[in-house]
């Protein structure tokens, strides 16, 4: 307290000047409309800048919440898409469908390997979230892999970057199908094999899921054609596919449950007997 008194005594002249100057400035602003408008504009600009900075900081700390909201919205839109029917390449919601074939669950990746021969991801959803083996896993850009094992709260995903992985895929511009595999060389490229030599293959064309399995619906993006060559037999192509996903940087994923899967598999098994 003594230090405050000493500061006031030492600077009493300057403090008196500031006090009188403030009174004069206030009277000038109050009595002249031009000065008052300039002051208000300056104050608004200053306060706007401060509020903008504070708002930016708040948004930064709310990013996690915003990402969760965005993930839920993407989940809802994807469920609408996968539970729709195609009419002349346009997606049309079929209002006559009484139930949804596909259910989507969002999850976060806890661990992601991409430099081994058989790579896996670990995610934070498991049996308690109704996640089971052989569910499909995708992102907003394309497929990631297939659920391999589950515990109560976690699951591992067999990545498409695995020599064990084999997924039905096709050319987007035609119905020519093949099997998506990985040669273990780079996380940017996978291989589509056993594609008919009659397929209209072009560099840059899109590869999507074929829809001939009970795991992925038809038409989910995978990647684009980087290059292709005819196999030794001359009857099929091997196509190098550049993935749309950056498999080294995976965050939020979507788990696809085909609710008709058990019925389809049961029917197929009975047909093979």
């Amino acid at each position: 307290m003594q230090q405050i008194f000493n500061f006031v005594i030492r600077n009493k002249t300057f403090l008196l000047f500031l006090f009188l100057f403030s009174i004069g400035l206030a009277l000038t602003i109050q009595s002249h409309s031009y000065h008052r408008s300039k002051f208000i504009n300056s104050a608004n600009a200053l306060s706007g800048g401060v509020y903008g900075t504070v708002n930016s900081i708040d948004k930064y700390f709310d990013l996690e919440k915003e990402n969760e909201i965005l993930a839920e919205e993407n989940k809802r839109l994807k469920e609408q898409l996968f539970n729709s029917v195609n009419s002349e390449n346009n997606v049309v919601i079929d209002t006559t469908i009484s139930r949804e074939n596909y259910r989507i669950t969002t999850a976060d990746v806890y661990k992601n390997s991409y430099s081994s021969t058989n790579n896996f991801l670990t995610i934070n959803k498991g049996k308690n979230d109704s996640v089971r083996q052989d569910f499909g896993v995708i992102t907003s850009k394309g497929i990631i892999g297939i659920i391999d094992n589950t515990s109560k709260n976690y699951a591992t995903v067999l990545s498409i970057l695995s020599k064990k992985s084999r997924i039905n895929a096709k050319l987007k511009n035609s119905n020519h199908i093949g099997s998506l595999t990985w040669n273990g060389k780079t996380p940017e490229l996978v291989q589509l094999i056993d594609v008919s030599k009659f397929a209209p293959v072009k560099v840059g064309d899109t590869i999507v899921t074929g829809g001939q399995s009970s795991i992925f619906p038809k038409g989910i993006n995978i990647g684009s054609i980087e290059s292709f060559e005819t196999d030794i037999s001359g009857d099929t192509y091997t196509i190098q596919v550049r993935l749309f996903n950056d498999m080294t940087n995976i965050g939020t994923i979507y788990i696809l449950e085909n609710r008709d899967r058990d019925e389809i598999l049961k029917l197929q098994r009975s047909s093979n007997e």
Side-chain angles (χ1 to χ4, degrees), residues 20 53 64 79 105 107 117 125 128 182 192 194 206 223 231 235 237 254 269:
L20 295 176
T53 302
E64 183 176 355
E79 282 182 339
T105 303
T117 302
K125 294 292 173 68
N128 289 345
W182 187 54
L192 184 63
D194 298 332
T206 300
D231 294 333
D235 295 327
Y237 287 118
Y254 302 95
R269 282 194 295 266

Side-chain angles (χ1 to χ4, degrees), residues 85-181:
V85 295
N86 291 326
S87 176
E88 297 181 357
N89 297 325
N90 294 320
V91 176
V92 179
I93 304 301
D94 187 358
T95 56
T96 64
I97 296 177
S98 60
R99 65 184 184 86
E100 297 179 341
N101 292 338
Y102 285 92
R103 183 179 72 92
I104 296 179
T105 303
T106 59
D108 292 324
V109 175
Y110 276 19
K111 184 178 180 181
N112 176 24
S113 66
Y114 48 83
S115 57
S116 302
T117 302
N118 295 304
N119 293 293
F120 287 88
L121 299 89
T122 302
I123 61 175
N124 65 338
K125 294 292 173 68
K127 293 178 181 177
N128 289 345
D129 305 286
S130 300
V131 174
R132 295 189 298 164
Q133 190 179 37
D134 292 332
F135 283 8
V137 178
I138 65 172
T139 69
S140 57
K141 293 182 179 180
I143 67 171
I144 294 295
I146 299 172
I147 297 292
D148 186 59
N149 286 305
T150 58
S151 62
K152 288 184 178 179
N153 300 303
Y154 299 93
T156 56
V157 180
L158 178 65
S159 172
I160 57 175
L161 301 181
S162 171
K163 289 191 174 182
K164 296 179 180 179
S165 175
R166 200 175 184 91
I167 295 172
N168 173 256
K170 74 181 189 73
L171 278 68
K172 185 176 182 179
N173 295 329
S174 74
N175 288 319
H176 291 89
I177 62 171
S179 294
L180 196 73
T181 61

